[in-house]
C-alpha cells in the first residue's frame, strides 16, 4: 500500500479535481464548452494527420536521399534529423495550441545543446512526459535533431516508433529475464550509432514506468531496504544509466585513442572529403558524454496530463513546469553499482523535495521565474501548410512514377 499522502494524490487525479486540472467540458461557460466541441474535430484531424499523412510524407522525403546513407552519411542524417525534429514539433504544437504552456526553470542549458554530449534523465508520470520533452527540445538547436531516445519496446511498431527506429532510437525490453542481454544490446547499439550518427543527447526515464504504476512497489522496496521514501517520484533503476556511461561516457586519458595523423597530401585530401561526407573526426575522436542533465517535470496539482489531453485539449488551460539541473558526468560514480545507486537515489530524493516545494508554493526555488516556451502562429500554420503541400506533391510524383513503371513492366513494347 502507498502511504496516506501518496494515496491522496492518486485519488485526487480520479476524483474532484482542483482548478488547473479540470476537464474543459466539466467547467466554464456554455460558450467555452461549445467552442471546445467545435474545435474537437479539427484537433482530431490535426492529430490523425501526424500519424498518417505526415508519417507517409517523412518517408516520401527520405526515399530520394537513401543513396546518401552510405555514400554521404552526413547529408542523409542531416535531412533525416530535420524531418525528425519537425515531426516532433507538431506534438509540441498540440499542447501549445490547447493552452498548455511549458515553462523552463533551473540551470541554463544553452551551452550544453550546442557542442556537448549529454545524458538526460527525466521523471516519468504519464504519456504527456514525452510531448513535454519534445516541446522543450524545440529550442535546443542542433541537439533537438541529434537525440537518441530510450523507449519501451511496445512503441517500436507505432508510427513514431518506426521513424525512431530509422533515426537510431533504442527500444528496450524491460524485465529481469532479459535485463543483462538488453544492456549488452544497448551498449552495442550505442557503439554503432552514437558517434556514427553524431548523436548529442541521450534521453531516458530511469524510473522504468509511470509513477502511478510504480509508486506502491517503490515505497515498499524503499521501506524494506532503508532507501529514501519518495512521494512524487519512484526509485530509479540504474542499469541503463550505467551501460550508457560505460559505453559513451567519460574516459580516462589511457582509454582515449589518439587520432592518426599523416603528412601525405593525398591522405589529407581523403580525410577532408571524409569529414565533409560523414564527420569522420567524430568517429575518430569519439567525444564522450560530459554532462548528466536531470529534468524534473511538474504538472498542476501533481495531476499529469496525457497524450490524448495534449492532442484533443480536453483539460482546461494550465502551466507545465520543467526544471533543469546539470551534473558533471565525470563525477558520477558509474563504475561502481552501489555508489551509482546511492548517487541516483540522492538525485531523486532532491527531485522529490523539489516537486513537493513546487506543489506547495508554485516555485521550484524561492523567487525563481520560469521562461515560457512560445511558438509563432505563422510558423505553426506554415509547417502544416508545408507538410500537407508536400504530401500532395509527393502523391502526384510517386503516382506518376509507379504508374509508369507498372505500364513498362506489363506492356514493355506498347507505344
Amino acid at each position: 500500500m502507498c502511504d496516506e499522502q501518496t494515496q491522496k494524490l492518486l485519488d485526487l487525479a480520479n476524483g474532484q479535481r482542483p482548478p488547473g486540472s479540470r476537464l474543459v467540458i466539466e467547467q466554464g461557460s456554455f460558450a467555452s464548452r461549445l467552442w471546445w466541441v467545435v474545435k474537437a474535430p479539427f484537433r482530431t484531424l490535426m492529430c490523425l494527420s501526424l500519424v498518417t499523412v505526415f508519417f507517409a510524407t517523412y518517408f516520401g522525403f527520405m526515399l530520394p536521399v537513401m543513396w546518401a546513407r552510405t555514400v554521404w552519411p552526413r547529408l542523409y542524417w542531416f535531412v533525416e534529423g530535420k524531418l525528425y525534429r519537425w515531426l516532433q514539433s507538431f506534438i509540441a504544437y498540440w499542447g501549445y495550441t490547447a493552452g498548455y504552456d511549458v515553462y523552463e526553470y533551473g540551470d541554463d542549458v544553452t551551452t550544453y545543446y550546442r557542442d556537448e554530449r549529454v545524458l538526460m534523465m527525466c521523471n516519468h508520470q504519464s504519456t504527456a512526459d514525452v510531448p513535454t520533452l519534445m516541446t522543450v527540445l524545440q529550442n535546443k538547436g542542433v541537439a533537438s535533431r541529434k537525440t537518441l531516445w530510450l523507449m519501451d519496446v511496445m512503441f517500436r511498431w507505432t508510427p513514431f516508433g518506426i521513424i525512431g527506429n530509422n533515426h537510431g532510437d533504442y527500444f528496450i525490453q524491460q524485465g529481469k529475464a532479459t535485463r543483462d542481454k538488453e544492456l549488452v544490446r544497448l551498449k552495442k547499439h550505442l557503439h554503432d550509432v552514437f558517434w556514427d550518427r553524431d548523436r548529442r543527447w541521450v534521453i531516458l526515464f530511469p524510473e522504468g514506468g509511470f509513477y502511478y504504476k510504480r509508486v506502491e512497489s517503490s515505497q515498499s522496496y524503499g521501506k524494506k531496504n532503508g532507501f529514501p521514501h519518495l512521494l512524487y517520484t519512484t526509485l530509479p533503476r540504474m542499469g541503463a544509466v550505467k551501460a550508457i556511461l560505460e559505453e559513451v561516457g567519460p574516459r580516462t586519458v589511457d582509454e582515449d585513442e589518439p587520432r592518426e595523423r599523416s603528412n601525405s597530401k593525398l591522405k589529407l585530401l581523403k580525410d577532408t572529403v571524409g569529414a565533409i561526407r560523414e564527420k569522420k573526426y567524430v568517429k575518430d575522436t569519439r567525444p564522450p558524454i560530459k554532462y548528466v542533465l536531470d529534468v524534473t517535470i511538474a504538472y498542476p496539482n501533481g495531476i499529469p496530463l496525457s497524450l490524448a489531453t495534449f492532442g484533443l485539449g480536453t483539460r482546461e488551460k494550465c502551466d507545465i513546469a520543467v526544471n533543469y539541473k546539470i551534473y558533471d558526468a565525470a563525477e558520477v560514480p558509474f563504475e561502481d553499482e552501489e555508489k551509482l545507486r546511492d548517487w541516483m537515489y540522492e538525485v531523486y530524493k532532491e527531485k522529490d523535495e523539489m516537486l513537493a516545494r513546487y506543489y506547495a508554493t508554485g516555485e521550484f526555488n524561492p523567487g525563481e521565474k520560469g521562461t515560457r516556451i512560445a511558438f509563432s502562429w505563422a510558423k505553426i500554420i506554415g509547417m502544416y501548410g508545408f507538410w500537407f503541400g508536400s504530401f500532395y506533391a509527393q502523391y502526384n510524383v510517386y503516382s506518376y512514377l509507379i504508374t509508369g513503371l507498372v505500364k513498362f513492366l506489363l506492356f514493355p513494347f506498347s507505344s
Side-chain angles (χ1 to χ4, degrees):
M1 286 290 293
C2 305
D3 66 16
E4 185 178 350
Q5 190 173 353
T6 305
Q7 193 60 51
K8 283 182 179 179
L9 180 64
L10 294 174
D11 291 341
L12 188 63
N14 298 315
Q16 188 66 33
R17 298 185 174 193
S21 309
R22 300 170 299 185
L23 297 178
V24 173
I25 206 71
E26 294 177 351
Q27 56 84 40
S29 64
F30 174 77
S32 64
R33 297 180 189 183
L34 181 62
W35 179 234
W36 180 83
V37 172
V38 171
K39 290 190 298 181
F42 294 98
R43 295 195 65 84
T44 302
L45 178 63
M46 185 172 67
C47 298
L48 291 176
S49 65
L50 178 62
V51 296
T52 53
V53 175
F54 299 167
F55 173 74
T57 305
Y58 166 89
F59 287 102
F61 277 124
M62 292 310 300
L63 278 175
V65 294
M66 284 298 293
W67 61 271
R69 185 161 182 163
T70 52
V71 179
W72 195 345
R74 189 174 180 181
L75 171 64
Y76 178 87
W77 293 117
F78 173 81
V79 173
E80 193 281 333
K82 282 288 188 182
L83 297 172
Y84 183 81
R85 178 189 180 186
W86 289 343
L87 287 177
Q88 289 189 353
S89 72
F90 287 112
I91 297 180
Y93 298 157
W94 291 357
Y96 182 77
T97 56
Y100 308 140
D101 287 335
V102 177
Y103 285 81
E104 295 179 298
Y105 298 84
D107 293 341
D108 182 6
V109 298
T110 305
T111 57
Y112 303 100
Y113 64 71
R114 289 176 180 164
D115 303 307
E116 302 295 352
R117 280 148 183 86
V118 175
L119 171 60
M120 177 194 282
M121 306 189 307
C122 184
N123 60 318
H124 206 12
Q125 300 177 68
S126 74
T127 51
D129 297 337
V130 171
T132 300
L133 290 183
M134 289 180 176
T135 301
V136 301
L137 282 170
Q138 290 307 303
N139 64 0
K140 299 298 181 289
V142 68
S144 63
R145 62 181 172 87
K146 295 192 174 187
T147 54
L148 194 160
W149 291 73
L150 265 67
M151 294 179 275
D152 193 281
V153 71
M154 66 182 289
F155 296 109
R156 181 190 290 273
W157 301 115
T158 62
F160 245 103
I162 295 170
I163 291 173
N165 194 57
N166 183 56
H167 180 73
D169 295 331
Y170 185 77
F171 299 87
I172 193 163
Q173 177 73 53
Q174 298 194 55
K176 292 181 180 180
T178 59
R179 180 179 179 275
D180 292 336
K181 289 182 179 179
E182 278 300 311
L183 295 180
V184 172
R185 286 181 60 239
L186 172 58
K187 283 187 173 185
K188 184 180 184 307
H189 181 81
L190 290 167
H191 184 272
D192 294 342
V193 169
F194 189 70
W195 291 297
D196 187 66
R197 302 183 189 179
D198 190 24
R199 293 295 170 246
R200 302 297 175 88
W201 284 21
V202 180
I203 303 172
L204 80 160
F205 300 95
E207 290 165 281
F210 295 141
Y211 167 80
Y212 73 92
K213 289 184 176 181
R214 292 205 60 240
V215 63
E216 185 176 340
S217 61
S218 173
Q219 290 183 349
S220 175
Y221 179 75
K223 183 178 181 180
K224 182 179 179 181
N225 294 280
F227 295 136
H229 182 76
L230 306 180
L231 297 175
Y232 303 104
T233 58
T234 62
L235 292 171
R237 298 168 179 174
M238 60 183 175
V241 172
K242 181 174 173 61
I244 291 166
L245 292 178
E246 283 179 342
E247 188 63 33
V248 296
R251 301 187 298 269
T252 63
V253 177
D254 293 338
E255 290 176 315
D256 285 328
E257 296 180 8
R259 186 181 177 187
E260 182 183 346
R261 296 182 181 273
S262 174
N263 294 324
S264 167
K265 292 183 178 180
L266 180 59
K267 179 69 165 59
L268 182 61
L269 179 61
K270 288 182 178 179
D271 287 345
T272 303
V273 173
I276 293 172
R277 288 184 174 178
E278 56 177 332
K279 276 197 173 180
K280 193 171 183 294
Y281 67 88
V282 173
K283 294 182 182 180
D284 290 345
T285 59
R286 299 186 306 148
I289 287 175
K290 289 186 178 180
Y291 300 96
V292 175
L293 175 59
D294 179 50
V295 177
T296 303
I297 299 176
Y299 297 101
N301 308 302
I303 304 175
L305 286 75
S306 68
L307 182 61
T309 305
F310 259 74
L312 300 177
T314 55
R315 193 156 141 179
E316 63 184 325
K317 295 180 180 181
C318 63
D319 296 338
I320 302 169
V322 179
N323 186 79
Y324 304 126
K325 186 168 183 180
I326 283 283
Y327 296 91
D328 189 333
E331 297 176 2
V332 179
F334 61 89
E335 302 93 346
D336 186 288
E337 243 182 67
E338 205 168 293
K339 289 180 180 178
L340 177 61
R341 179 201 65 199
D342 293 342
W343 180 85
M344 291 186 68
Y345 283 3
E346 185 61 31
V347 168
Y348 268 73
K349 181 183 176 183
E350 292 178 15
K351 185 193 291 283
D352 206 70
E353 293 169 352
M354 193 183 304
L355 284 169
R357 188 161 54 247
Y358 181 85
Y359 294 140
T361 66
E363 297 177 323
F364 284 116
N365 298 299
E368 183 184 15
K369 301 297 181 183
T371 302
R372 177 173 173 263
I373 296 178
F375 299 104
S376 161
W377 277 96
K379 182 177 181 180
I380 294 173
I381 295 170
M383 284 286 283
Y384 273 96
F386 172 76
W387 280 77
F388 275 119
S390 297
F391 175 77
Y392 177 76
Q394 288 178 10
Y395 175 79
N396 284 288
V397 170
Y398 284 115
S399 295
Y400 175 78
L401 293 175
I402 292 171
T403 302
L405 179 62
V406 170
K407 286 181 177 179
F408 175 77
L409 292 175
L410 295 179
F411 312 105
F413 304 110
S414 62
S415 55

